[in-house]
Amino acid sequence: MINTILHENTLAGNAIVGQSGGPTAAINATLAGVIRGVLDEQRADGRIPHLYGMRNGVDGLLREDIIELDSVFAPDADGNYTALDTLTLTPAAALGSCRRKLPAPGAADEAEVMDKLFSILEKYNIRYFFYIGGNDSMDTVAKVSAYAEKIGYPIRVVGVPKTIDNDLVGTDHTPGFGSAAKYIAVTMQEILRDTAVYTVPAVTIVEIMGRDAGWLTASSALGRLISGQAPDLVYLPERPFSHEEFFEDVRAALDRHPNVVVAVSEGLQCADGSYVGEGTQSGAVDVFGHRYLAGTAKALELAVKDKFGCKVRSVELNLPQRCAAHLVSAQDIEESLEVGRCAVVAALSGVTREMMTIRRVSDAPYNFEVGHEDIRKIANMTRAVPDEFINGRGNNVTDECLAYLLPLIRGERYPAFDRGLPVHWIF
Amino acid sequence: MINTILHENTLAGNAIVGQSGGPTAAINATLAGVIRGVLDEQRADGRIPHLYGMRNGVDGLLREDIIELDSVFAPDADGNYTALDTLTLTPAAALGSCRRKLPAPGAADEAEVMDKLFSILEKYNIRYFFYIGGNDSMDTVAKVSAYAEKIGYPIRVVGVPKTIDNDLVGTDHTPGFGSAAKYIAVTMQEILRDTAVYTVPAVTIVEIMGRDAGWLTASSALGRLISGQAPDLVYLPERPFSHEEFFEDVRAALDRHPNVVVAVSEGLQCADGSYVGEGTQSGAVDVFGHRYLAGTAKALELAVKDKFGCKVRSVELNLPQRCAAHLVSAQDIEESLEVGRCAVVAALSGVTREMMTIRRVSDAPYNFEVGHEDIRKIANMTRAVPDEFINGRGNNVTDECLAYLLPLIRGERYPAFDRGLPVHWIF
């Protein structure tokens, strides 16, 4: 069995790491964790002579667009990892990303693409393959590891999760989510202050990322546990959206106070499966077949204006949700680094075809530990917000939901600034 | 002459302060400065027994919706101004705001409204009137001071400027602008990182606040001076917008690299006076007759998609530009506090019917001093970005412009956090 060979902990050779999928404010922290893990190994055992980075994920790998990382991020004479610290708090994917889906087993182009990929891995003597990404990236991990087994190429392939959407199964939560959740929760507090200044009735509708899962939208309500300040209404894509009930909810909220704030997920769908933002969306799909949505809040803004005639504003939080590295969760950054570092440790001990996971050990005080899970149980599955985290009416989240979310946004960590602007790492 | 009486520095009585116009991340710092100025005076001379706050500006004053402030913000036993520090970094207008325009001299309702207002001022023995706001608020300062002179009511009326738009005349810049500019400059750096991760040609259009003046949009280019990272194209409302030239500019940028980023002001107008976002706007006007704009970036997104067929995304930075108190300019907060404090000092020395101003003493190192200017030279006028700050083609700002802006975003100051969320002051 090839697995027996792989699980021996003596495999020696180079490592490569790539980033894939949508960027986050913490994905470079995970990359920094992988780099740190390899640098530590080099000083300990020296089984991984070099760490390479693929530019733009498997896209760059197939073009042999590869850079060496271990020399770039080696500690300075005083033992400080200054460059790695800068990388850690740089938003987006410093190596570049891609959305390429590798051919399915048995597809016409499978051998061509995969043989090309493995010839490049062999050329660089790659024995460790780390891929940081979301659901679609775990699909890449599954295919690379399956093909390696099929052709008998000795390599350990480990997926390192990141996604602001928090929708991967097998892990308590995903690196990157806590920082996005914190940005959303903080920004919602600020929007609540902003909308409170006038006395004329007004409805503000805030659109939050999350195509299929409402985790980020749920995070907008976190202030309820702390300052008591939260949006009046919170709608997640896990429940069918009813315009009629929505209008009733808004009317009831306007009866209570003049400044109504509503949080909506970009992926809200009506009971018939149509998207709430459909009227204002492009209808385009991305390469994975996901429909591209835009304008859920805008569509509801027009509907509320039409129904109530009051002042209505829509705010789409947009890209800053995933790239606001100036406001990250210290907890999320710590975990992102640790998951990356542990991926190297796990691969060295023989782990392959697995995704790193985070297990919540305790809530008060919050503690976590890093583990790993068979990629075949994880790839191409999504984890929705469970029923008990949403109230009966489907217009808010429960305190149980907020208690789950709260530890993930704790702590602040700020990048270095130069003359007023944050210092980012750029290759 | 009543002015002679007013300019004696012995006027004793209470003070009142109000906030008006759109909220900013620094307007509460200015309020904190006024409060601190009065608290200092109370300990020194005791000429101002009480400081009141009007809720929702002159709207609340006319309803006699007034709260006492000096007792709330008095220092604690150890001499710490903890409550005032929290107020300083709370976004939006803690006292509430309004957009009420007082009747013009000679208007049918002038006597009714103004006599009501002065009867309430008299009831509370108000001799010092501080009004924090933008252009429309300075109009209120002018009317209250003119009416006081007309009826011989001894009061000193001082305007304290704030506006993220930086469009007031008579001052080098306005409190609140630096923090909004910093938020925009930092967020632009993060968006540049985010958009750089893919290799397929894409255009990202970022819409920035500023109806008539392009100061905030100009700030999005500040990275050019520091990291060399800046949007490819920057369009301000000071120049007529040509779709034809815009398409040429975007084409040239796409020829240079795949990830084109464009910053546009919400107020862009074509040579015929039509708004670029007109097709997607409501056409409504606010009470001051300003047209309500929305969708300049969205309109350009659709135009670029139609013209080039490439991936296009629009991002409206929206409310966080003016309320992101988690990322303020330390320089701006220092000046906002100081302008508020100096308003009290000036009024005590006899100043009335004036607006506080900021003068730039030097650039390197940057230094400022606070002064004041006759309100009649300031109210209802706007200050546009000057010609020499915009390049010849009208598609970017000059280095001279960036040099003017740079000192205003310097330094970071963070609010206190409680379990992951910022602590705000709420009355």
Side-chain angles (χ1 to χ4, degrees):
Chain A
M1 276 298 293
I2 194 156
N3 268 347
T4 321
I5 299 168
L6 288 176
H7 281 84
E8 286 174 12
N9 62 7
T10 54
L11 188 66
N14 295 322
I16 195 163
V17 59
Q19 295 172 303
S20 175
T24 81
I27 185 169
N28 285 329
T30 300
L31 173 62
V34 170
I35 295 170
R36 182 61 193 261
V38 171
L39 291 172
D40 287 351
E41 191 283 333
Q42 289 179 339
R43 289 189 302 174
D45 294 324
R47 270 191 290 154
I48 302 180
H50 293 293
L51 171 64
Y52 297 100
M54 44 186 121
R55 306 300 304 265
N56 300 104
V58 288
D59 246 6
L61 178 56
L62 286 164
R63 286 194 314 269
E64 213 179 315
D65 190 355
I66 286 167
I67 54 174
E68 205 184 312
L69 294 176
D70 41 330
S71 53
V72 176
F73 292 102
D76 64 20
D78 299 327
N80 295 321
Y81 291 85
T82 315
L84 214 50
D85 290 341
T86 300
L87 176 65
T88 298
L89 292 183
T90 296
L95 285 173
S97 181
C98 71
R99 290 210 173 268
R100 188 188 189 106
K101 210 172 166 77
L102 291 176
D109 59 346
E110 186 197 11
E112 187 195 345
V113 173
M114 298 305 279
D115 287 346
K116 170 90 193 255
L117 190 149
F118 275 89
S119 74
I120 295 167
L121 293 179
E122 190 153 34
K123 178 174 171 187
Y124 288 85
N125 190 31
I126 305 292
R127 302 295 158 189
Y128 296 92
F129 185 109
F130 302 102
Y131 211 52
I132 309 170
N135 228 317
D136 300 319
S137 311
M138 295 310 132
D139 175 84
T140 297
V141 171
K143 284 171 177 165
V144 170
S145 50
Y147 203 80
E149 184 168 348
K150 181 175 158 190
I151 64 172
Y153 182 96
I155 189 169
R156 291 174 189 161
V157 186
V158 176
V160 196
K162 74 80 215 164
T163 167
I164 62 165
D165 291 327
N166 200 36
D167 61 352
L168 298 189
V169 300
T171 184
D172 179 76
H173 55 277
T174 56
F177 170 68
S179 291
K182 186 185 186 87
Y183 176 84
I184 289 162
V186 170
T187 301
M188 180 56 83
Q189 291 298 302
E190 294 169 340
I191 288 176
L192 287 166
R193 295 283 71 67
D194 188 279
T195 55
V197 304
Y198 296 118
T199 52
V200 289
V203 178
T204 302
I205 303 170
V206 182
E207 178 174 332
I208 296 166
M209 283 180 167
R211 202 160 19 205
D212 304 309
W215 294 109
L216 289 174
T217 305
S219 306
S220 71
L222 272 166
R224 199 169 81 212
L225 287 191
I226 299 170
S227 63
Q229 303 288 316
D232 298 277
L233 301 162
V234 180
Y235 298 95
L236 311 190
E238 280 79 359
R239 293 282 176 89
F241 184 82
S242 153
H243 284 82
E244 198 179 321
E245 288 186 19
F246 170 67
F247 291 139
E248 287 170 15
D249 294 345
V250 170
R251 164 54 62 211
L254 279 169
D255 286 346
R256 286 195 301 274
H257 63 109
N259 299 301
V260 171
V261 177
V262 183
V264 299
S265 167
E266 61 172 335
L268 289 184
Q269 285 176 280
C270 303
D272 66 2
S274 65
Y275 283 95
V276 171
E278 205 143 12
T280 52
Q281 89 187 42
S282 69
V285 294
D286 69 17
V287 294
F288 295 102
H290 304 142
R291 301 181 75 170
Y292 176 75
L293 297 178
T296 299
K298 178 57 82 178
L300 291 175
E301 174 197 327
L302 300 174
V304 171
K305 208 171 266 171
D306 187 54
K307 185 81 177 177
F308 297 103
C310 66
K311 191 180 153 196
V312 192
R313 180 194 280 271
S314 61
V315 181
E316 197 185 333
L317 293 189
N318 219 310
L319 288 186
Q321 291 167 90
R322 70 182 196 198
C323 66
H326 70 268
L327 178 68
V328 291
S329 153
Q331 183 64 42
D332 181 35
I333 296 301
E334 180 193 334
E335 294 181 5
S336 297
L337 282 161
E338 186 63 3
V339 163
R341 197 187 63 79
C342 288
V344 178
V345 174
L348 285 164
S349 77
V351 167
T352 188
R353 198 188 284 194
E354 303 235 331
M355 181 187 86
M356 303 307 292
T357 60
I358 298 173
R359 196 171 75 82
R360 186 183 298 233
V361 177
S362 61
D363 262 315
Y366 170 81
N367 275 302
F368 74 100
E369 64 182 27
V370 176
H372 38 84
E373 183 71 75
D374 189 332
I375 201 81
R376 288 163 294 190
K377 294 184 187 160
I378 290 168
N380 301 316
M381 293 168 65
T382 61
R383 185 174 73 110
V385 176
D387 248 11
E388 64 269 25
F389 280 8
I390 308 172
N391 71 359
R393 173 79 173 181
N395 66 6
N396 218 321
V397 293
T398 62
D399 283 353
E400 192 185 347
C401 176
L402 298 179
Y404 159 82
L405 295 168
L406 192 57
L408 310 182
I409 68 160
R410 76 174 181 185
E412 293 70 49
R413 194 162 157 187
Y414 301 111
F417 277 76
D418 175 18
R419 285 164 282 166
L421 291 184
V423 181
H424 292 160
W425 181 270
I426 300 172
F427 280 107
Chain B
M1 274 300 290
I2 194 156
N3 267 349
T4 320
I5 299 167
L6 287 175
H7 281 83
E8 285 173 13
N9 61 6
T10 55
L11 187 66
N14 295 321
I16 195 162
V17 58
Q19 296 172 302
S20 174
T24 82
I27 185 171
N28 285 330
T30 301
L31 173 62
V34 170
I35 295 170
R36 182 59 193 262
V38 171
L39 292 173
D40 287 352
E41 191 282 333
Q42 290 179 337
R43 288 189 303 175
D45 293 324
R47 269 192 290 153
I48 302 181
H50 293 293
L51 171 64
Y52 297 100
M54 45 186 121
R55 306 300 304 264
N56 300 106
V58 287
D59 246 7
L61 178 57
L62 286 164
R63 285 195 315 268
E64 214 181 312
D65 191 356
I66 287 168
I67 54 175
E68 206 185 310
L69 294 175
D70 40 331
S71 53
V72 176
F73 291 103
D76 64 20
D78 299 327
N80 295 320
Y81 292 84
T82 315
L84 214 50
D85 290 342
T86 301
L87 176 66
T88 298
L89 293 182
T90 296
L95 286 174
S97 180
C98 72
R99 288 207 175 270
R100 187 187 190 108
K101 210 172 165 78
L102 290 177
D109 59 345
E110 188 198 10
E112 186 195 346
V113 172
M114 298 306 279
D115 287 347
K116 169 88 193 256
L117 190 148
F118 275 88
S119 73
I120 295 167
L121 293 179
E122 190 152 34
K123 178 175 172 186
Y124 287 85
N125 189 31
I126 306 291
R127 301 298 157 187
Y128 295 93
F129 185 109
F130 302 103
Y131 211 53
I132 309 170
N135 229 317
D136 300 319
S137 311
M138 294 311 130
D139 176 82
T140 298
V141 171
K143 285 172 178 165
V144 170
S145 51
Y147 202 80
E149 186 169 347
K150 182 175 157 190
I151 63 171
Y153 182 96
I155 189 169
R156 292 176 188 157
V157 186
V158 176
V160 197
K162 73 80 215 167
T163 166
I164 62 165
D165 291 327
N166 200 35
D167 61 353
L168 298 189
V169 300
T171 185
D172 180 75
H173 56 277
T174 55
F177 170 68
S179 292
K182 186 185 185 87
Y183 176 84
I184 290 163
V186 170
T187 301
M188 181 56 83
Q189 291 299 302
E190 294 170 340
I191 288 175
L192 287 166
R193 296 283 70 68
D194 188 280
T195 56
V197 305
Y198 296 118
T199 52
V200 289
V203 178
T204 302
I205 304 169
V206 182
E207 178 174 332
I208 296 166
M209 283 180 168
R211 200 160 20 206
D212 304 308
W215 294 109
L216 288 174
T217 305
S219 306
S220 71
L222 272 166
R224 199 169 81 212
L225 288 191
I226 299 171
S227 63
Q229 303 286 317
D232 299 277
L233 300 163
V234 180
Y235 298 95
L236 311 190
E238 280 79 359
R239 293 284 176 87
F241 185 82
S242 152
H243 283 82
E244 200 179 320
E245 288 186 20
F246 169 68
F247 291 139
E248 288 170 14
D249 295 345
V250 170
R251 162 58 59 213
L254 280 168
D255 286 347
R256 287 195 301 274
H257 62 110
N259 299 300
V260 171
V261 177
V262 184
V264 299
S265 166
E266 61 173 335
L268 288 185
Q269 285 176 279
C270 303
D272 66 2
S274 65
Y275 284 95
V276 171
E278 204 144 14
T280 53
Q281 91 189 42
S282 68
V285 295
D286 68 18
V287 294
F288 295 101
H290 304 141
R291 300 181 74 167
Y292 177 76
L293 298 178
T296 298
K298 178 58 80 177
L300 292 175
E301 173 196 328
L302 300 174
V304 171
K305 207 171 267 170
D306 187 56
K307 186 81 177 180
F308 297 104
C310 65
K311 190 180 154 196
V312 193
R313 179 194 281 269
S314 61
V315 181
E316 197 185 334
L317 292 190
N318 219 309
L319 289 186
Q321 291 167 90
R322 70 181 196 197
C323 66
H326 70 269
L327 178 67
V328 291
S329 152
Q331 184 65 41
D332 181 36
I333 296 301
E334 180 193 333
E335 294 181 5
S336 298
L337 281 162
E338 186 62 4
V339 163
R341 196 187 63 78
C342 288
V344 178
V345 174
L348 285 165
S349 78
V351 167
T352 187
R353 199 188 282 194
E354 303 236 330
M355 182 187 85
M356 303 306 293
T357 60
I358 297 172
R359 196 171 75 82
R360 185 183 298 234
V361 178
S362 61
D363 262 317
Y366 170 80
N367 276 304
F368 75 100
E369 63 183 27
V370 176
H372 39 84
E373 183 72 75
D374 189 332
I375 201 81
R376 287 162 294 190
K377 295 184 187 158
I378 290 167
N380 302 315
M381 294 169 64
T382 62
R383 186 173 72 109
V385 176
D387 248 12
E388 65 270 25
F389 280 8
I390 307 173
N391 72 0
R393 172 79 173 180
N395 66 7
N396 219 319
V397 294
T398 62
D399 283 353
E400 192 185 346
C401 177
L402 299 179
Y404 158 82
L405 294 168
L406 192 57
L408 310 183
I409 68 160
R410 77 174 180 186
E412 293 71 48
R413 193 162 159 188
Y414 301 111
F417 278 75
D418 175 18
R419 283 165 285 166
L421 291 184
V423 180
H424 293 161
W425 181 271
I426 300 174
F427 281 107

